[in-house]
Amino acid sequence: MLRRMARLRWRISHRPPLPIGSALFLTGDHRAWSSDPGGWTFDPAGELTSEHPHGTLLSVKIRARHPDGTVTEEGDAWGGRAAPHRHVVTGDANLDLHVAGWQDASEGRGRPARSAPPREETALDAPWGAQPLRLWWPAGHDGPLPLLILHDGQNAFDETPTFAGESWDAAGAAQALADAGHPVRIAALPVNHDRNRRYVPFPFELNGHDSGADEYADWIGGTLLPHLHARFGPVPAQDTALAGSSFGGLITAYAGLRDPGTYGTLGVFSPVVWPADHAFLRWMTGRGDPHARVWVDMGDHEGGTLTASRDLVTRTRDLSTQLAPQVREARFSVGAGHWHDEPAWRERLPAFLRWWREG
C-alpha cells in the first residue's frame, strides 16, 4: 500500500559561483514562490529532503539569499529568466537540479534565438501609450492574407524577449502551414506589467480592481484591424483569428463573444477563468457568435495536483460544451502531459493553425 506522502531528495548537481556566505534554498508553487528560506535551505553539500503528497505537480526553482539580505533566482546561462524544474510526485525519488546561471541585469539579452524572429517590428498609438506590434508573413505573400492576432506577442516568435526563454515559434508553425499551401499573416501584440489589467475583463485583486480589457478589445477592433487592412488589404472576418493562452485565452474568448462578427476563429488556449469568482462563466451565458469557430484546449498537468488537473480539464470541457450551441463550431482538445507554459502552447499551435485554415 502506497504511503500518502513521498520523500524527495533534491541535489544541486551544478551551479555557477555565488558570493561567499550565500544560502541556497528551494522555492516553487508549493510555497507560493516565497523568498523565505526557512525550512527549505540546502545543506552545505547541496542537498535537501522534502515530503509531498502523491499526485502533486511541482514547479520549483533555486534561489540564493546573500549576506546582505538580497535574493537572486536561478536563471539561464545568459542571465535571463529560466523555466522551472518540473516533477510529478508518484513516489520517493532522487532529483538532480542543474542551475545554468543566475538572473542578472542583462535579462538574457545575449540569449541566442532558437526560433525565427518576426519580419517586422513597429508600434501603434494606443490609449495606454505606444503598443508594440510584431509582424510575420511568408516571403512572396505581400498582399492580403488570413490574419491571426496573437496576445502575449513577446512570447510569439524568437526567444530573446520571452518571459522564460521559451516561445511559441509562431513563425515556424506558420511557415509549415504556408508550405502546405495555406499562407497567413501573424500580428503579435506584446504586453508588459499591465497584462492582468489588459487581459482580465473583470475587476479583481491582480488588476487593482480596474479592468482595461474593454479598452484593449476596442483598440484591436478600432485601431489595429483598420491599420492592417489599410496596409496589406482588407481581410474578411471569417479569415481573421484571435488567439492567446492563459489570461490571453480569457481575453480572446471575451473579445470574440463581446464583438460577434469581428473574428471568424477564436483560439482559446488554457483559459484562466477564475478571476472575480469565475465571473466570465456567468458573463458568457447566452452570448455567442453563430459565424465563429472556437478552439478550446487545456493541458492535463495544469493544476497543482493530478486530481486538480483532471478537474480543470473537465471544467474547461464543460465551458466548451456550454459555448457550442452559441457558435458555429466548438472544438475541445487536451494536451497530454502539458503544463501551463510556452512549450505546451508551442506544441499545440500547429494543430490549431491547421484546424483554422484547413478545417
Side-chain angles (χ1 to χ4, degrees), residues 203-236:
F204 80 129
E205 58 274 16
L206 294 183
N207 62 19
H209 299 279
D210 180 25
S211 172
D214 284 308
E215 180 183 61
Y216 178 62
D218 288 344
W219 179 85
I220 292 176
T223 298
L224 176 66
L225 284 174
H227 169 80
L228 295 173
H229 293 172
R231 178 172 174 191
F232 298 107
V235 178

Side-chain angles (χ1 to χ4, degrees), residues 21-23 25 35-37 64-72:
S22 298
F25 63 97
S35 286
D36 179 1
R65 181 178 289 276
H66 307 303
D68 63 0
T70 60
V71 173
T72 300

Side-chain angles (χ1 to χ4, degrees), residues 10-72:
W10 308 89
R11 184 178 70 89
I12 301 175
S13 59
H14 173 271
R15 68 167 178 85
L18 284 167
I20 295 174
S22 298
L24 299 174
F25 63 97
L26 191 73
T27 192
D29 49 11
H30 66 293
R31 305 186 57 214
W33 297 98
S34 172
S35 286
D36 179 1
W40 292 91
T41 303
F42 288 88
D43 66 22
E47 297 184 357
L48 169 68
T49 299
S50 63
E51 290 192 343
H52 305 270
H54 284 264
T56 301
L57 302 181
L58 291 173
S59 295
V60 304
K61 286 187 178 181
I62 295 172
R63 289 179 181 164
R65 181 178 289 276
H66 307 303
D68 63 0
T70 60
V71 173
T72 300

Side-chain angles (χ1 to χ4, degrees), residues 147-173:
L147 173 65
L148 170 62
I149 301 168
L150 278 178
H151 308 296
D152 283 311
Q154 72 280 359
N155 297 328
F157 299 108
D158 52 316
E159 288 78 15
T160 300
T162 60
F163 180 65
E166 298 283 356
S167 81
W168 287 44
D169 188 21

Side-chain angles (χ1 to χ4, degrees), residues 72-73 75-81 101-109:
T72 300
E73 183 173 286
D76 61 22
W78 300 274
R81 189 177 180 87
W102 301 103
Q103 289 188 48
D104 59 31
S106 70
E107 299 180 344
R109 283 187 289 270

Side-chain angles (χ1 to χ4, degrees), residues 108-159:
R109 283 187 289 270
R111 180 194 298 127
R114 300 187 303 274
S115 303
R119 289 189 60 181
E120 180 181 308
E121 298 190 64
T122 185
L124 299 180
D125 290 336
W128 50 88
Q131 170 61 53
L133 173 62
R134 311 183 80 208
L135 295 167
W136 183 92
W137 63 95
H141 297 274
D142 295 326
L145 287 173
L147 173 65
L148 170 62
I149 301 168
L150 278 178
H151 308 296
D152 283 311
Q154 72 280 359
N155 297 328
F157 299 108
D158 52 316
E159 288 78 15

